[in-house]
Amino acid sequence: MLAFEEAWTRALMATGMASERDGEAALKALSGFNVESFRPASDRDGLPVPSLVARLREGLASGAAKAIHTGATSQDVIDTAMVLNGLAVLDRLDRRLQKLVSALIDLERRHGEAPLMARTRMQAALPATASLRLSAWQRLVQAQHDRMPALRDEIARVQIGGAIGLRDLPGANGDEVAKLVAYALGLKLAPVWHTDRSSMVSFGHWLTLLTGALGKIGQDVALMAQQGLDEIDLDGGGGSSAMPHKQNPILAETMIAIARYVAGLQGSLAQAMLHEQERSGAAWSLEWLTLPAMAEATGAALLRAETLVGSIRRIGTPG
Amino acid sequence: MLAFEEAWTRALMATGMASERDGEAALKALSGFNVESFRPASDRDGLPVPSLVARLREGLASGAAKAIHTGATSQDVIDTAMVLNGLAVLDRLDRRLQKLVSALIDLERRHGEAPLMARTRMQAALPATASLRLSAWQRLVQAQHDRMPALRDEIARVQIGGAIGLRDLPGANGDEVAKLVAYALGLKLAPVWHTDRSSMVSFGHWLTLLTGALGKIGQDVALMAQQGLDEIDLDGGGGSSAMPHKQNPILAETMIAIARYVAGLQGSLAQAMLHEQERSGAAWSLEWLTLPAMAEATGAALLRAETLVGSIRRIGTPG
Amino acid sequence: MLAFEEAWTRALMATGMASERDGEAALKALSGFNVESFRPASDRDGLPVPSLVARLREGLASGAAKAIHTGATSQDVIDTAMVLNGLAVLDRLDRRLQKLVSALIDLERRHGEAPLMARTRMQAALPATASLRLSAWQRLVQAQHDRMPALRDEIARVQIGGAIGLRDLPGANGDEVAKLVAYALGLKLAPVWHTDRSSMVSFGHWLTLLTGALGKIGQDVALMAQQGLDEIDLDGGGGSSAMPHKQNPILAETMIAIARYVAGLQGSLAQAMLHEQERSGAAWSLEWLTLPAMAEATGAALLRAETLVGSIRRIGTPG
Amino acid sequence: MLAFEEAWTRALMATGMASERDGEAALKALSGFNVESFRPASDRDGLPVPSLVARLREGLASGAAKAIHTGATSQDVIDTAMVLNGLAVLDRLDRRLQKLVSALIDLERRHGEAPLMARTRMQAALPATASLRLSAWQRLVQAQHDRMPALRDEIARVQIGGAIGLRDLPGANGDEVAKLVAYALGLKLAPVWHTDRSSMVSFGHWLTLLTGALGKIGQDVALMAQQGLDEIDLDGGGGSSAMPHKQNPILAETMIAIARYVAGLQGSLAQAMLHEQERSGAAWSLEWLTLPAMAEATGAALLRAETLVGSIRRIGTPG
């Protein structure tokens, strides 16, 4: 949010809406802002922006105060911040995904030739090798990695609409300001998307596909680890308080649970599309209740997947 | 399914896996197949393919019988048929979407300049014109139309994997057969996607976005039609059995309900990603319980949207 | 709906709101109504009631026409009809549940003493007998059967509110009419529940629990049927078009898929609680899109469960 | 969890499974346990119990160590702790509900006679008084309060099954131990419910109904607060960063968003019914991902409802 406000102030300066002096005072307030000590009045306002702006303007002369946020609206700040945070999340997930794909390639290299009974509809089908299943895992995860550039492209758009989405700034060219802010933040200029929540829902869709892919791997591992099939050996594995001889495939279980959890949340996030009139409070809040939790769960699932794949000692139908 | 089987038989002939004579006999059985009288044993087999293949082969000599389906598996037939049907559904939705976008453009042309109070968070914000809201509707619907080519590209892939997804045909080159079948059906050749259900889930995602967009329009109309706001006049409108003076915005209501229904189903469809081992029965069935219903509901929502937009006589804050 | 209208007319007669002669003419129109030939104008009105009432009144003198539906509203008719249909569905499910419980008791009697490895977290835990698992199935299904009386009690309420939920009839005692209609239909008198959708959502909850219980059995059977575990033998089982040697546990798979489908729909049905103002069209429609489909799927799952349990030839860890 | 373990140790003592001396040493370890400094190895074991038990037994002589947890399993501890926490949550929600019901009664007393246009299907229906809507709110909330005793009765059951659900303790009478533990914790004795998750899903169902009721109130308030309807005046209300003249009904919006969020999660929680074999890790974890979040959101919605109702200054159609 501060990054947005800083880019905004600079754009007001560049377009002559704020004087050099007022702008500099505003930028100083922004850079000196103490996030740690700030308690946003979200309970009062439904979102942190009004109290943030009030605090930023505190003690500033009128001109400098006006060089902050003027012409923008809360949704501009929060949506753009959501995008910036979303992209940062994608960077992290990207790195984890790359490591996971490498680990899966390595796994197939090491164990691909081991004999493994292919199973369809939970029934033994035909003898095959582990490569059949491992390459399917890899393709499935890789496919979600391959979707990342298109997803980034879809979400990396600045949100600048102003009070009612007209992008009309008093005394300035709204498009010019939007262009400058977008450039400063490394985002694309795009039409106002106050009421078009497609990109947020598409973000959730991708998280759903990715956790679904990991859930499939988790499900396969849990099935392979069954005594009677004995198709996989794992290092570690969860202890049991009642049966010390057991090694529960807890990473795999968690990956399954997260996949179902994230999929279900997508069904709720998608309802944010019903964003009424020029800006909705209720539909918008639904995004905050779901999307961050989905992203966090996806990160957790990826960490577990990486550890799980790294813990595989043996794969294949026992001789 | 018959289109797949025909393309398959022709590919077996082209690659020498079936003789000309056997292939022609098989093709004759295929073209003469009476769909109306066929009662698939889906209850017994969980899907219609085994009984379809048995019926197609009925009365054929051994060689001709083998020229049908040999080397394919039920999932190849059903997934490919799902794709072909999905593309046909998209063609229909495409036409309806084009008409809707035109109608929205026309609506803005006719009523765009009428004064309309902009409303944010359900509160009067600033005076504006109808154009603000109508152009947002149009952009939102257009955005989903713009996604169609990418969606088609994602789903228009032939499914050919054979029994366990190896695409290995006895006595033939699986990739060659797959290429021929794909070409005959106008689909892309792609790696086996028996266990990668991303494209089906992405199909649902698009339906969710589209019905969500229509739900937003329905929500706006229902709000505008309130006495006290009186921002819209509609021709027709549902009658009331108790209050003949009322005109209920029933098309708008249905569009809202469908949006929530389809969004919720997406949360279930997405669980089909947990497609265990080489092919899953349970996860796969979940697609059939959800995706066709979502597509049908989307079609219904689009018809209603078109009628609704066409029924708008007046828009804007009353003088 | 006709049952409601008939009870309504009789109540108008009994309370003196309709004369004997008008009432009899109305009842004659009701009993002579040809359902088959009636095409409700649901597309126009959003529900079938206005056109039904118009048709019923067709050709009647004014007094007789007024002896039909006067004082009731569409929601009274449809909600009460939903209740009557729901109770009829429960009767059917009840009989199927009783048969299933009997079959499960018999199953345990026949196979309960067979040795079966207990499995927790998908891992072999300790040796036990089949009785452990079979009695858990039975208790789980029985528990849902045990909930039926409370559910019936919750839903078996007449809906009578009139136009805006006041239950105020011009020239008659609304409570008296409601009492008579409730009695005639075998339902309880209760306060107006136009906007309290708890009972419909609780109906869905019970369907969710029941299909969940059947899904658990399906999941267990699918796991037991795995080669390597070989803990169950089933008669029949789905054929494979590619691998004639396979016997796919398709009933079990369908039970799993239905459980997930119904559970997901419950998440959408529950949103019908947001039933705005005195009566909502959009929230109400959502019930129709979900609850009947849930009930139908539950019936299908029960039929499959009964067949599946009846097809079990052997259970237990192989000697 | 510690309450369970303490009750367990006492039961082992009472049934002679642990000597007085060993039991006392165990109880001392339990009462001296430093929760703050304990870092459970949930990541390793999938749940905190094995590491908790190991830590509790640390430094104890063999007999005293055996007086802790012996014969119980992790699921016994966690499920029972979930129940105890659930009951404590219900206590809190109960108090908030009582206050809310009182506030609603008071609200109707103060504003019930104000004229208010009844609205059905988002359309003005007939003139009425505020009492119509306010009493519907009150009945709806009261109805969920009335369900609490049955819900408590359903969930207040001890979970004691041991390793595989047989409730068989080496050298002791499992039922006797279960009875003592249940009594000590104020819970009912009940059959093992390791795989019967109905009560947890019913807990979620109730939270769904309650948040749905609050969401309906929120929706009504947001609609009434619209300029043009002007049917309600609220103290406070959220500020806008762009339009200082606005008062956004943010409490109402949040209540709507929470209702949809909790409803959607119910669709995921319900999938925990597919609890395979004797105990499932994946299905069980799904409960933890959903139910606590649902309870927390419900608490937040209740607090908001109470504040919102208290902030109503005026209600009714303006003169």
Side-chain angles (χ1 to χ4, degrees):
Chain A
M1 294 195 288
L2 291 169
F4 177 92
E5 297 291 3
E6 185 189 326
W8 188 262
T9 295
R10 289 191 192 280
L12 295 184
M13 292 164 72
T15 55
M17 262 192 79
S19 71
E20 200 68 18
R21 208 190 54 171
D22 287 343
E24 289 301 337
L27 290 173
K28 203 174 147 200
L30 277 156
S31 66
F33 184 74
N34 186 341
V35 175
E36 308 303 327
S37 73
F38 173 57
R39 310 293 309 162
S42 301
D43 275 351
R44 188 193 64 204
D45 301 325
L47 29 76
V49 179
S51 53
L52 172 68
V53 171
R55 173 71 90 80
L56 284 168
R57 288 172 171 170
E58 229 170 63
L60 292 186
S62 158
K66 276 188 193 150
I68 294 177
H69 192 75
T70 300
T73 195
S74 295
Q75 189 161 358
D76 295 340
V77 182
I78 290 183
D79 277 350
T80 304
M82 196 74 142
V83 163
L84 294 172
N85 280 305
L87 292 171
V89 164
L90 286 183
D91 285 343
R92 286 187 116 171
L93 299 183
D94 195 350
R95 286 192 295 273
R96 290 186 194 167
L97 259 172
Q98 287 182 37
K99 286 175 76 173
L100 180 58
V101 170
S102 298
L104 288 168
I105 291 171
D106 188 55
L107 186 68
E108 191 187 347
R109 195 185 47 70
R110 282 183 290 126
H111 299 293
E113 293 179 21
L116 181 72
M117 174 60 71
R119 291 176 189 267
T120 62
R121 310 196 77 154
M122 302 279 288
Q123 291 285 293
L126 294 170
T129 61
S131 192
L132 173 65
R133 189 166 296 166
L134 297 180
S135 63
W137 291 359
Q138 186 193 310
R139 277 203 315 274
L140 185 57
V141 173
Q142 181 68 52
Q144 311 322 322
H145 193 245
D146 292 347
R147 286 170 187 272
M148 290 193 95
L151 176 66
R152 278 182 206 271
D153 193 60
E154 183 172 354
I155 67 174
R157 297 174 302 154
V158 80
Q159 174 71 285
I160 294 180
I164 57 170
L166 281 175
R167 196 182 281 176
D168 54 337
L169 275 74
N173 183 322
D175 283 331
E176 188 63 24
V177 168
K179 205 161 143 185
L180 289 163
V181 172
Y183 182 77
L185 297 174
L187 300 175
K188 274 181 301 176
L189 187 60
V192 182
W193 49 282
H194 280 173
T195 59
D196 178 357
R197 314 310 295 172
S198 313
S199 63
M200 292 295 113
V201 181
S202 288
F203 195 171
H205 172 56
W206 182 78
L207 297 172
T208 301
L209 292 180
L210 175 52
T211 50
L214 304 180
K216 184 259 189 294
I217 295 176
Q219 187 68 72
D220 281 353
V221 168
L223 289 169
M224 295 165 88
Q226 293 171 103
Q227 287 74 17
L229 274 63
D230 305 297
E231 294 168 342
I232 199 165
D233 281 347
L234 303 169
D235 276 325
S240 158
S241 73
M243 294 166 285
H245 63 279
K246 284 187 67 189
Q247 281 220 320
N248 297 319
I250 65 112
L251 296 168
E253 290 170 342
T254 309
M255 288 156 64
I256 297 169
I258 288 178
R260 298 207 181 279
Y261 169 69
V262 170
L265 282 176
Q266 177 65 8
S268 298
L269 169 59
Q271 311 226 3
M273 289 294 291
L274 285 88
H275 196 104
E276 82 275 355
Q277 299 168 335
E278 276 58 68
R279 291 197 279 119
S280 167
W284 196 29
S285 310
L286 198 51
E287 297 179 21
W288 309 334
L289 284 165
T290 51
L291 194 49
M294 293 167 78
E296 190 179 352
T298 304
L302 263 176
L303 284 181
R304 274 155 184 78
E306 199 188 315
T307 307
L308 178 66
V309 169
S311 76
I312 296 175
R313 270 195 316 238
R314 181 189 63 81
I315 212 161
T317 308
Chain B
M1 293 195 289
L2 291 170
F4 177 92
E5 296 291 3
E6 186 188 324
W8 188 262
T9 295
R10 287 191 193 282
L12 294 185
M13 291 164 73
T15 55
M17 261 192 81
S19 71
E20 199 69 18
R21 209 189 53 171
D22 287 342
E24 288 301 337
L27 290 173
K28 206 175 144 197
L30 277 157
S31 65
F33 185 74
N34 186 342
V35 174
E36 308 303 327
S37 73
F38 174 57
R39 310 295 307 164
S42 301
D43 275 352
R44 188 194 62 205
D45 301 326
L47 30 75
V49 178
S51 54
L52 173 68
V53 170
R55 173 69 92 81
L56 284 168
R57 287 172 173 170
E58 228 170 64
L60 293 186
S62 157
K66 275 187 194 149
I68 294 176
H69 192 76
T70 301
T73 194
S74 295
Q75 189 161 357
D76 294 341
V77 183
I78 290 182
D79 277 350
T80 304
M82 196 74 143
V83 164
L84 293 172
N85 280 305
L87 292 170
V89 164
L90 286 183
D91 284 342
R92 286 187 116 172
L93 299 183
D94 194 349
R95 285 191 296 273
R96 290 185 193 168
L97 259 171
Q98 288 181 36
K99 288 174 75 173
L100 180 58
V101 170
S102 298
L104 288 168
I105 290 172
D106 189 55
L107 185 68
E108 191 187 350
R109 194 185 47 73
R110 284 183 291 127
H111 299 293
E113 293 179 20
L116 181 73
M117 175 59 72
R119 292 176 189 268
T120 62
R121 310 195 78 155
M122 302 278 287
Q123 291 285 292
L126 294 170
T129 61
S131 192
L132 173 65
R133 189 166 298 165
L134 298 180
S135 64
W137 290 359
Q138 186 192 310
R139 278 204 313 275
L140 185 56
V141 173
Q142 181 68 52
Q144 311 322 320
H145 192 243
D146 292 348
R147 287 171 188 271
M148 290 194 94
L151 176 65
R152 277 182 206 272
D153 193 59
E154 183 172 353
I155 68 173
R157 298 174 301 154
V158 79
Q159 175 70 287
I160 294 180
I164 57 171
L166 281 174
R167 196 180 282 174
D168 55 338
L169 276 74
N173 183 324
D175 283 331
E176 188 63 24
V177 167
K179 204 160 144 187
L180 289 163
V181 171
Y183 182 77
L185 299 174
L187 301 174
K188 275 181 300 175
L189 187 60
V192 182
W193 49 282
H194 280 173
T195 59
D196 178 356
R197 313 311 296 175
S198 313
S199 63
M200 293 295 113
V201 181
S202 288
F203 195 170
H205 173 56
W206 183 79
L207 297 171
T208 301
L209 292 180
L210 176 52
T211 50
L214 304 179
K216 184 258 189 294
I217 295 175
Q219 187 69 72
D220 282 353
V221 168
L223 289 168
M224 295 164 87
Q226 294 171 103
Q227 287 75 17
L229 274 64
D230 305 298
E231 294 169 342
I232 200 164
D233 282 348
L234 303 170
D235 276 324
S240 158
S241 73
M243 293 167 286
H245 64 279
K246 285 186 65 190
Q247 281 220 320
N248 296 319
I250 64 113
L251 295 169
E253 291 171 343
T254 309
M255 287 157 65
I256 297 169
I258 287 178
R260 298 210 181 279
Y261 169 69
V262 169
L265 282 176
Q266 178 65 8
S268 299
L269 168 60
Q271 310 222 9
M273 288 295 291
L274 285 89
H275 196 105
E276 81 275 356
Q277 298 168 336
E278 275 60 67
R279 292 197 280 120
S280 166
W284 197 27
S285 310
L286 198 51
E287 297 179 21
W288 309 336
L289 284 165
T290 52
L291 194 48
M294 294 166 78
E296 190 179 352
T298 304
L302 263 176
L303 284 181
R304 274 154 185 78
E306 199 189 316
T307 307
L308 178 66
V309 169
S311 76
I312 296 175
R313 269 195 317 238
R314 182 189 64 81
I315 213 162
T317 307
Chain C
M1 293 195 290
L2 292 169
F4 177 93
E5 296 291 2
E6 185 189 324
W8 188 261
T9 294
R10 289 191 191 281
L12 295 185
M13 292 164 72
T15 55
M17 260 191 82
S19 72
E20 200 68 19
R21 208 189 53 170
D22 287 342
E24 289 300 338
L27 290 172
K28 204 175 145 199
L30 277 156
S31 65
F33 184 75
N34 186 343
V35 175
E36 308 303 327
S37 74
F38 173 57
R39 310 295 307 163
S42 301
D43 274 352
R44 187 193 63 205
D45 301 326
L47 29 75
V49 178
S51 52
L52 173 68
V53 171
R55 174 71 91 82
L56 284 167
R57 288 172 172 170
E58 229 169 61
L60 293 185
S62 158
K66 275 186 195 150
I68 295 176
H69 192 76
T70 300
T73 195
S74 295
Q75 189 162 356
D76 295 340
V77 184
I78 291 183
D79 277 350
T80 304
M82 196 74 144
V83 164
L84 294 172
N85 280 305
L87 291 170
V89 163
L90 285 183
D91 286 341
R92 287 187 114 172
L93 299 183
D94 195 349
R95 287 193 293 273
R96 290 185 193 168
L97 259 172
Q98 287 181 36
K99 287 175 75 173
L100 180 59
V101 170
S102 299
L104 287 169
I105 291 171
D106 189 56
L107 185 68
E108 189 185 351
R109 194 186 47 72
R110 284 183 290 127
H111 299 293
E113 294 178 21
L116 181 72
M117 174 60 71
R119 291 175 189 267
T120 63
R121 310 196 78 154
M122 302 278 287
Q123 291 285 293
L126 294 169
T129 61
S131 192
L132 173 65
R133 188 165 298 165
L134 297 180
S135 64
W137 290 359
Q138 187 193 309
R139 279 203 313 275
L140 185 57
V141 172
Q142 182 68 52
Q144 311 323 319
H145 193 244
D146 292 347
R147 287 171 187 271
M148 289 193 96
L151 176 65
R152 277 181 206 272
D153 193 59
E154 183 173 353
I155 68 173
R157 297 174 301 155
V158 79
Q159 173 71 287
I160 294 181
I164 58 170
L166 280 174
R167 197 181 282 175
D168 54 337
L169 275 75
N173 183 323
D175 283 331
E176 188 63 23
V177 168
K179 205 162 142 184
L180 289 163
V181 171
Y183 182 76
L185 298 175
L187 300 174
K188 275 180 300 177
L189 187 60
V192 182
W193 50 282
H194 280 173
T195 59
D196 179 356
R197 315 310 297 173
S198 313
S199 63
M200 292 295 114
V201 181
S202 287
F203 195 170
H205 173 56
W206 182 78
L207 296 172
T208 301
L209 291 180
L210 175 52
T211 50
L214 304 180
K216 184 259 188 294
I217 295 176
Q219 186 70 73
D220 281 354
V221 168
L223 289 169
M224 295 164 87
Q226 294 171 102
Q227 286 75 18
L229 274 64
D230 305 297
E231 294 169 342
I232 200 165
D233 281 348
L234 304 169
D235 275 324
S240 157
S241 73
M243 294 167 285
H245 65 279
K246 286 186 66 190
Q247 281 220 320
N248 297 320
I250 65 114
L251 296 168
E253 291 170 342
T254 309
M255 288 157 64
I256 298 169
I258 288 178
R260 298 207 181 279
Y261 169 69
V262 170
L265 282 176
Q266 178 65 7
S268 298
L269 168 60
Q271 311 225 7
M273 289 293 291
L274 285 89
H275 196 106
E276 81 275 357
Q277 299 169 336
E278 276 59 68
R279 292 197 279 119
S280 165
W284 197 27
S285 310
L286 198 51
E287 297 179 22
W288 309 335
L289 283 166
T290 52
L291 194 48
M294 293 166 78
E296 190 180 352
T298 304
L302 263 176
L303 284 181
R304 274 155 183 77
E306 199 189 316
T307 307
L308 178 67
V309 169
S311 76
I312 297 175
R313 270 195 316 237
R314 181 189 64 80
I315 212 161
T317 307
Chain D
M1 293 195 289
L2 291 170
F4 177 93
E5 297 290 2
E6 185 188 324
W8 189 263
T9 295
R10 289 191 191 281
L12 294 185
M13 291 164 73
T15 55
M17 261 192 81
S19 71
E20 201 68 19
R21 206 190 53 172
D22 288 342
E24 289 300 340
L27 289 172
K28 204 174 146 200
L30 276 155
S31 65
F33 185 74
N34 186 342
V35 174
E36 308 303 327
S37 74
F38 173 57
R39 309 295 307 163
S42 301
D43 274 351
R44 186 193 65 204
D45 300 326
L47 29 75
V49 179
S51 54
L52 173 68
V53 171
R55 174 71 91 82
L56 284 167
R57 288 172 171 169
E58 229 169 63
L60 293 186
S62 158
K66 274 187 194 150
I68 294 176
H69 192 76
T70 301
T73 194
S74 296
Q75 189 161 358
D76 295 340
V77 183
I78 291 183
D79 277 349
T80 303
M82 196 74 145
V83 164
L84 293 172
N85 280 305
L87 291 170
V89 164
L90 285 183
D91 285 343
R92 288 186 113 172
L93 299 183
D94 195 351
R95 286 192 295 273
R96 290 185 194 168
L97 259 172
Q98 287 181 37
K99 289 175 74 173
L100 180 58
V101 170
S102 299
L104 288 169
I105 291 171
D106 188 56
L107 185 68
E108 190 186 350
R109 194 185 48 72
R110 284 182 289 127
H111 299 293
E113 294 178 21
L116 181 73
M117 174 59 71
R119 291 176 190 267
T120 61
R121 309 195 77 153
M122 302 279 287
Q123 290 285 293
L126 294 169
T129 61
S131 193
L132 173 65
R133 189 166 296 166
L134 297 180
S135 64
W137 290 359
Q138 187 192 308
R139 279 204 313 276
L140 185 58
V141 172
Q142 182 67 52
Q144 312 322 322
H145 193 244
D146 292 346
R147 288 170 187 272
M148 289 193 95
L151 176 66
R152 277 182 207 271
D153 193 59
E154 184 173 352
I155 69 174
R157 298 174 300 155
V158 78
Q159 175 71 286
I160 294 180
I164 57 171
L166 281 174
R167 196 181 281 175
D168 55 337
L169 276 73
N173 182 324
D175 283 331
E176 189 63 24
V177 168
K179 205 161 144 186
L180 289 164
V181 172
Y183 182 77
L185 298 175
L187 301 174
K188 276 180 301 178
L189 187 60
V192 182
W193 50 282
H194 280 172
T195 59
D196 179 356
R197 313 311 295 174
S198 313
S199 63
M200 292 295 114
V201 181
S202 288
F203 195 170
H205 173 56
W206 183 80
L207 297 172
T208 301
L209 291 180
L210 175 52
T211 50
L214 304 179
K216 184 258 188 294
I217 296 175
Q219 186 71 72
D220 281 353
V221 169
L223 289 168
M224 295 165 87
Q226 294 172 102
Q227 286 75 18
L229 274 63
D230 305 297
E231 295 169 342
I232 200 166
D233 281 348
L234 304 170
D235 276 324
S240 158
S241 73
M243 294 167 285
H245 64 278
K246 286 186 67 190
Q247 280 221 321
N248 296 319
I250 65 113
L251 295 168
E253 290 170 342
T254 309
M255 287 157 65
I256 298 169
I258 287 178
R260 299 207 180 280
Y261 169 68
V262 170
L265 282 176
Q266 178 65 8
S268 298
L269 168 60
Q271 311 224 5
M273 289 293 292
L274 285 88
H275 196 105
E276 81 276 356
Q277 298 168 337
E278 276 60 67
R279 292 197 280 120
S280 166
W284 197 29
S285 311
L286 198 51
E287 296 179 22
W288 309 335
L289 283 165
T290 53
L291 194 48
M294 293 166 78
E296 190 179 353
T298 304
L302 263 175
L303 284 181
R304 274 154 185 78
E306 198 188 316
T307 307
L308 178 67
V309 169
S311 76
I312 296 176
R313 270 195 317 237
R314 181 189 64 80
I315 210 160
T317 308

